[in-house]
Amino acid sequence: MKASTTHTKVDPRDAKLSMAYLYVAFTALALGGLMGLLQVLVRSGKYELPFGIDYYQVLTVHGVLLGLVLTTFFIMGFQTAAVSRTAGTMSNGARMAGWIGFWLMTIGTAMAATMILLKEATVLFTFYAPLKAHPIFYIGLTLVIVGSWVTGGALLGTYGKWRRQNPGKNSPLLTFMVVVNTVMWIVATLGVAATVLLQLLPWSLGIVDRVDVLVSRTLFWYFGHPLVYFWLLPAYMCWYAIIPKIIGGKIFSDSLARLSFLLFLLFSIPVGFHHQLVEPGIDPAWKFLQVVLTFMVIIPSLMTAFSMFATFEKTGRSKGATGLFGWAKKLPWGDARFTVPFIGMAAFIPAGAGGIVNASHQLNQVVHNTIWVTGHFHLTLATTVVLTFFGISYWLVPHLTGRKLTKAMNKLAIIQAWVWAVGMTFMSGAMHAAGLLGAPRRSAFSEYGGSAQAAEWIPYQVAQAIGGSILFIGIILVMVIFINLAFFAPKGEEEFPVGEAEAGEEKAPAVFENWKLWLGITAALILFAYTIPLIDIIQNAPIGSKGWQTWSKW
Ligand code: HAS
Ligand code: CU
């Protein structure tokens, strides 16, 4: 762990790159949040969108900006800073690659966003075929992914340099975690790159007439599930490696943390069928296999929960706590860097339980395509992950800009997180409940022409609107804090906290950094889970679908 303490500050040149990513991320948050407010108002049945703006267009902007842009840009910015802080300043070449990646991603985002605004790509964030978008939309997405590979390559290169300079040593924990997340991302994005380049783009350009919908959805979900762990793992980096330092404790077990990340690499990808459990055309035996693998990928999250409780308890006891829960009183509740991610962690208990419901083959039939699923990902992504990202920003942004998180901003940050928790309890709670009553997701209607069934859902949709409006206040607060920390907070030094393992802890086994082994097992599991079903899907393919544009045009 020594190397992690030698560089205590991110080099200003790397800080600039990291901040560039964060600016785009927070711009996406502000705009995407505004779209979310419009949606809950429309769904309440009491408001209509002005100027011919279409509900599904707003929904596409919302999903793309928050699900894809905010997350990917924040993660690239955070991971750049984390590697620079723990493995050392990037080389000029790596930093240049980081900038190239940043610009590719930003230009790609602008291209996709323009097409959505022109009503040429109202296809939602999953861009399922046979909904057909303008080719520039798909090219834009491709640039975002290629850009992320270039930046990912820069981070892997920096790790490689560290290893050459420190032979035989374990890499710093945060760098190790970034490497796992980057490798997982590269393997996963091959699926979405394949469907976009081989299927959707030629079809959208008119080179081919028809698209195989099931193949494209299967390739999408090969990517789509690891995508959600690509969002989650940076939050886990904070929980495992940063929170212990903030609360004045030690990392519970460096080896356990690494092992849980490796399990995510192995089991995140061969599980995409749990998004396709009600899809015809996939043999149930293979669905069952992927459900089993999905339950395997729950294990590293349970390990994380155990590890966090252990960290809290050990730290509390070392500060004199007694009794079963006495340690809870010793945690630094007044420190936003801890409390904000903690609220995210607490939300992950019901959020993860909901995920286990989704993944249960039979129960999926009850919830699939209902607004329950929307409730699920607003607890996982929009609460657990996003609150942790906010909590990270509250020290990372001032660290990178050479400013201080003031007492007033710290207080506002804690208020922000509580506002978020209350808003999300209303909104996500109502979504879960309405979903169980059968209310569909991805739908602009609220009353369905006065149907009695739909009337049951209305009170929940009003609750969603109340929750969504509270959340919008939360977005305004977080933007106030971000702008303050980036431009106006007093100059000073804010720590980039990095936790340390207990003195005398046994070193993690060297095999943990045997990437050939882990990549080999990952590939074997993917081939096992996907080869036969894909052959099946392709051999029994229907003629394919022409493109559909179901939305209103300007
Ligand atoms: Fe999911 C659908 C299954 C986790 C995101 N998920 C989605 C979609 C999104 C998403 C975006 O099997 C919708 C995609 C679309 O548009 O169609 N999900 C799971 C499972 C997990 C899971 C099994 N999901 C996530 C995470 C996400 C995310 C994480 C984003 C970040 N999900 C599904 C399934 C579907 C699905 C199906 C398809 C549904 C359908 O039919 O369409 C698991 O990874 C969850 C494991 C988590 C746990 C919780 C551990 C708890 C911890 C906290 C400890 C707390 C502490 C604090 C220490 C087992 C680590 C103490 C505090 C106190 C107050 C005491
Ligand atoms: Cu999934």
Side-chain angles (χ1 to χ4, degrees), residues 103 117 128 165 209 255 268 276 281 306 349 388 391 401 416 420 423 434 437 472 477 536 546 552:
W103 282 111
L117 294 179
Y128 282 155
Q165 290 169 349
D209 199 27
S255 304
S268 284
Q276 300 176 277
F306 170 80
I349 295 176
T388 304
T401 55
Q416 193 283 335
W420 201 267
L437 296 174
F472 190 67
L477 293 181
D536 224 23
K546 296 203 168 195
S552 67

Side-chain angles (χ1 to χ4, degrees), residues 65 243 273 318 322 329 410 457 514-515:
L65 283 184
I243 292 283
F273 284 172
S318 75
T322 52
K329 289 197 214 111
N410 179 67
W457 307 330
N514 183 343
W515 300 107

Side-chain angles (χ1 to χ4, degrees), residues 446-475:
S446 0
E447 292 168 355
Y448 288 89
S451 117
Q453 167 77 73
E456 259 187 50
W457 307 330
I458 297 281
Y460 296 100
Q461 285 166 355
V462 171
Q464 277 170 41
I466 294 170
S469 308
I470 298 173
L471 282 166
F472 190 67
I473 298 172
I475 300 247

Side-chain angles (χ1 to χ4, degrees), residues 153-408:
L155 299 179
L156 294 181
T158 307
Y159 163 73
K161 188 175 103 188
W162 188 94
R163 283 202 69 184
R164 283 192 299 278
Q165 290 169 349
N166 297 272
K169 286 197 194 156
N170 284 341
S171 57
L173 181 58
L174 271 173
T175 295
F176 175 90
M177 291 171 151
V178 170
V179 170
V180 172
N181 205 26
T182 305
V183 170
M184 183 181 83
W185 175 250
I186 292 171
V187 177
T189 43
L190 291 175
V192 71
T195 178
V196 170
L197 293 179
L198 303 177
Q199 292 190 284
L200 302 178
L201 194 54
W203 170 65
S204 163
L205 285 167
I207 300 170
V208 295
D209 199 27
R210 289 173 182 272
V211 68
D212 187 319
V213 173
L214 186 53
V215 171
S216 80
R217 287 168 65 106
T218 303
L219 288 171
F220 181 85
W221 285 117
Y222 162 95
F223 151 80
H225 187 78
L227 169 69
V228 314
Y229 291 130
F230 173 71
W231 300 332
L232 181 69
L233 292 192
Y236 279 10
M237 292 175 202
C238 167
W239 300 1
Y240 274 117
I242 290 165
I243 292 283
K245 172 80 178 188
I246 293 175
I247 65 173
K250 297 278 182 207
I251 294 173
F252 169 67
S253 160
D254 174 274
S255 304
L256 179 146
R258 290 177 200 250
L259 178 63
S260 90
F261 268 61
L262 288 174
L263 292 176
F264 277 114
L265 173 62
L266 302 188
F267 293 111
S268 284
I269 304 169
V271 298
F273 284 172
H274 70 230
H275 293 265
Q276 300 176 277
L277 290 175
V278 299
E279 200 135 297
I282 303 172
D283 189 311
W286 292 103
K287 289 180 180 168
F288 178 74
L289 175 88
Q290 294 210 9
V291 162
V292 172
L293 290 170
T294 303
F295 276 76
M296 298 291 288
V297 80
I298 293 168
I299 293 171
S301 281
L302 295 174
M303 287 164 61
T304 306
F306 170 80
S307 191
M308 294 323 296
F309 276 112
T311 305
F312 296 150
E313 177 163 358
K314 277 186 105 172
T315 309
R317 290 198 189 281
S318 75
K319 293 181 178 175
T322 52
L324 196 54
F325 293 111
W327 47 268
K329 289 197 214 111
K330 302 282 180 188
L331 293 170
W333 296 108
D335 187 340
R337 301 171 308 162
F338 163 73
T339 303
V340 178
F342 182 89
I343 296 173
M345 262 179 229
F348 203 40
I349 295 176
I356 296 171
V357 168
N358 298 344
S360 305
H361 204 154
Q362 292 88 335
L363 291 181
N364 187 266
Q365 319 241 335
V366 179
V367 297
H368 184 67
N369 272 346
T370 71
I371 201 160
W372 159 287
V373 175
T374 318
H376 164 68
F377 65 72
H378 280 83
L379 273 190
T380 48
L381 174 60
T383 310
T384 302
V385 169
V386 155
L387 280 182
T388 304
F389 287 2
F390 292 168
I392 291 171
S393 306
Y394 297 152
W395 51 261
L396 181 61
V397 173
H399 178 88
L400 297 176
T401 55
R403 295 178 189 276
K404 290 277 315 162
L405 174 69
T406 57
K407 274 206 170 106

